[in-house]
């Protein structure tokens, strides 16, 4: 409808232009000039009146003359109103105001700030350089820092643990949505190696990872790049080297103790048999002690107490002397293997372990020898 009316308007304007051109040509051919032109012949151009121009008359729909494009096109006032109603209404909407609420940082003490700084210094230790390992591994020293592992989308980062080490529970990561972690295992038996396969979903990510195992806890920083990544990561464990040295140094001492334990030993002192006195009475006074003297003897100069073998050295009882009036005093003695040696003679002493209600106590008394016995073993000198 609109295109049809536009074509009709163009045709009307074209017809008006053609009629005006025809009138001008006819006037010029007859040699006559319009009255305005004659009047302006002797008048300066600036004062001359404009020539009277006769606008042609167009014919609208139905043959009626029209003088304006609207009537020539046959557009009624109703059509104009309907056209006006079809115009879209322009509505200006105000953009919503975005309000950003920021939470203030909590107030912390100076020790807390110091702890944060020291933690960051450890995690970002600039001297914790990795080393090139075999098969393309990048080897970090465990415990020197929180190593930064760089990964990339569509690539795999492989973190290898120590052979025989197993993960205790699932790893904990700060961003579990955009980072993918999966376990893997290689080799068998004592050489079984647990792997962590790490993949980011997009570049520009930065988070941390904590991996608990049956031997230690790993703290790592994960960063995603567009195209840079570490294919294989492993660790060096200084504690293992220290333990290896300790075992090596302890091996000769262990061999020496083993040879000493296997060598035949005697519970008796190296003196003449006739000089040894076995007349001692052993009595449990308090508790139910695990330790127990198997035999007590003296050679006239020293006293020896042979204990049972199943008493650990750290649980060996303390030896004290008991005077005739019942008072107790400390005494110097030696403990070699399971034999106590007192460098003096004593008539009465006690072996004590623990204190208070749980104390365990054994008392040992030296019995006097009978110089003369009767037919039935009765002592006749009154010593018994």
């Amino acid at each position: 409808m609109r295109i049809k009316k536009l074509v009709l308007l163009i045709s009307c304007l074209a017809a008006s232009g053609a009629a005006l051109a025809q009138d001008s040509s006819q006037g010029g051919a007859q040699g006559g000039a319009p009255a305005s032109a004659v009047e302006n012949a002797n008048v300066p151009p600036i004062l001359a009146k404009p020539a009277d121009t006769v606008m042609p008359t167009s014919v609208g729909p139905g043959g009626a003359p029209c003088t304006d494009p609207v009537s020539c096109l046959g557009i009624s006032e109703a059509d104009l109103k309907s056209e006006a109603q079809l115009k879209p209404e322009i509505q200006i909407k105000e953009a919503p105001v975005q309000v950003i609420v920021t939470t203030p940082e909590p107030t912390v003490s100076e020790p807390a700030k110091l702890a944060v700084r020291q933690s960051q210094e450890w995690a970002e230790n600039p001297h914790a350089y990795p080393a090139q390992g075999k098969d393309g591994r990048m080897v970090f020293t465990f415990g020197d820092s929180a190593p930064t592992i760089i990964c990339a989308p569509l690539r795999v980062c492989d973190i290898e643990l120590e052979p025989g080490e197993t993960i205790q529970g699932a790893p904990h990561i700060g961003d579990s949505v955009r980072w993918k972690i999966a376990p893997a295992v290689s080799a068998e038996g004592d050489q079984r190696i647990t792997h962590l396969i790490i993949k980011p979903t997009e570049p520009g990510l930065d988070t941390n990872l904590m991996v608990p195992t049956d031997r230690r806890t790993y703290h790592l920083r994960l960063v995603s790049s567009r195209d840079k990544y570490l294919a294989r990561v492993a660790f060096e464990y200084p504690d293992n080297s220290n333990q290896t040295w300790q075992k090596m140094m302890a091996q000769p001492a262990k061999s020496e103790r083993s040879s000493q334990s296997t060598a035949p030993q005697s519970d008796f002192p190296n003196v003449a048999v006739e000089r040894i006195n076995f007349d001692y009475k052993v009595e449990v006074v308090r508790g139910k002690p695990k330790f127990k003297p198997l035999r007590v003897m003296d050679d006239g100069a020293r006293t020896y107490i042979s204990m049972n073998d199943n008493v650990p050295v750290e649980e060996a009882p303390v030896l004290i002397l008991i005077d005739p009036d019942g008072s107790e005093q400390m005494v110097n003695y030696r403990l070699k293997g399971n034999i106590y040696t007192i460098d003096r003679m004593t008539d009465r002493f006690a072996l004590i372990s623990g204190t208070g209600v749980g104390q365990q106590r054994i008392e040992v008394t030296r019995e006097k020898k009978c110089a003369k016995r009767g037919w039935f073993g009765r002592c006749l000198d009154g010593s018994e």
Side-chain angles (χ1 to χ4, degrees):
M1 180 64 181
R2 293 182 179 180
I3 295 176
K4 183 177 180 182
K5 292 180 180 180
L6 182 60
V7 173
L8 183 58
L9 176 60
I10 294 173
S11 63
C12 290
L13 295 176
S16 300
L20 179 60
Q22 182 177 3
D23 293 341
S24 300
S25 62
Q26 289 178 0
Q30 292 175 359
S36 61
V38 176
E39 294 177 358
N40 296 333
N42 299 321
V43 179
I46 193 170
L47 299 176
K49 296 189 299 182
D52 296 333
T53 303
V54 180
M55 292 297 295
T57 303
S58 300
V59 179
C66 60
T67 58
D68 60 278
V70 176
S71 60
C72 291
L73 294 175
I75 301 174
S76 64
E77 293 183 1
D79 293 337
L80 289 176
K81 293 180 179 180
S82 62
E83 288 291 333
Q85 294 176 354
L86 294 175
K87 293 181 180 179
E89 295 182 2
I90 301 176
Q91 298 180 357
I92 301 176
K93 295 183 178 180
E94 297 182 358
V97 179
Q98 185 177 4
V99 179
I100 301 176
V101 180
T102 58
T103 304
E105 287 288 336
T107 303
V108 296
S109 61
E110 286 301 324
K113 295 178 181 179
L114 177 62
V116 171
R117 288 195 299 267
Q118 292 179 346
S119 177
Q120 291 179 347
E121 290 175 359
W122 170 81
E124 302 171 1
N125 183 5
H127 305 291
Y129 291 101
Q132 179 72 48
K134 62 179 181 179
D135 301 333
R137 294 180 178 89
M138 295 306 300
V139 181
F140 292 89
T141 301
F142 179 83
D144 282 357
S145 67
T148 299
I149 312 300
I150 302 176
C151 303
L154 305 180
R155 296 292 185 268
V156 170
C157 286
D158 177 15
I159 299 179
E160 301 179 10
L161 305 185
E162 187 181 17
E165 187 175 12
T166 58
I167 299 177
Q168 302 292 317
H172 300 271
I173 187 171
D175 185 356
S176 60
V177 176
R178 295 178 293 179
W179 289 85
K180 307 301 179 184
I181 303 177
V185 176
S186 63
E188 296 180 353
D190 296 339
Q191 299 302 316
R192 176 187 176 97
I193 300 177
T194 301
H195 302 255
L196 286 176
I197 307 302
I198 301 178
K199 296 185 292 182
T201 58
E202 58 185 86
L205 303 179
D206 190 347
T207 188
N208 65 324
L209 174 68
M210 190 271 284
V211 183
T213 72
D214 58 342
R215 299 179 183 177
R216 56 187 63 90
T217 302
Y218 295 82
H219 292 273
L220 309 173
R221 178 189 176 193
L222 302 181
V223 175
S224 65
S225 173
R226 188 173 300 277
D227 52 4
K228 299 179 178 62
Y229 71 100
L230 298 177
R232 302 182 68 179
V233 176
F235 294 90
E236 177 70 21
Y237 305 97
D239 291 345
N240 291 359
S241 300
N242 296 337
Q243 292 176 3
T244 301
W245 279 105
Q246 291 175 0
K247 289 180 180 179
M248 183 178 298
M249 296 172 64
Q251 191 65 31
K254 183 178 180 181
S255 301
E256 183 179 355
R257 289 195 302 268
S258 177
S259 61
Q260 291 178 356
S261 62
T262 55
Q265 296 182 358
S266 174
D267 293 339
F268 297 95
N270 188 19
V271 294
V273 176
E274 61 272 10
R275 295 179 54 187
I276 299 177
N277 174 35
F278 293 94
D279 295 332
Y280 285 87
K281 179 181 178 183
V282 178
E283 181 181 7
V284 177
V285 176
R286 183 179 301 170
K288 297 180 179 179
K290 295 181 180 179
F291 58 90
K292 181 180 179 182
L294 297 180
R295 59 183 62 90
V296 181
M297 68 206 84
D298 68 82
D299 59 0
R302 298 177 180 86
T303 305
Y304 304 91
I305 304 99
S306 176
M307 305 292 293
N308 52 330
D309 296 334
N310 58 349
V311 178
V313 176
E314 60 273 11
E315 297 180 7
V318 177
L319 192 152
I320 61 173
L321 296 185
I322 303 176
D323 293 335
D325 58 358
S327 61
E328 299 177 353
Q329 61 175 326
M330 300 298 296
V331 63
N332 293 328
Y333 61 89
R334 299 187 302 275
L335 177 60
K336 183 178 180 181
N338 62 336
I339 297 180
Y340 286 80
T341 302
I342 307 174
D343 293 327
R344 57 174 288 186
M345 298 291 293
T346 177
D347 292 333
R348 188 181 177 191
F349 61 89
L351 297 169
I352 302 174
S353 176
T355 58
V357 180
Q359 185 184 76
Q360 299 176 355
R361 181 184 181 102
I362 293 178
E363 292 186 1
V364 180
T365 305
R366 182 175 184 266
E367 297 180 343
K368 296 180 180 181
K369 280 190 175 182
C370 180
K372 184 178 180 180
R373 295 183 179 275
W375 288 100
F376 297 98
R378 184 178 178 181
C379 184
L380 300 178
D381 60 3
S383 61
E384 293 183 353

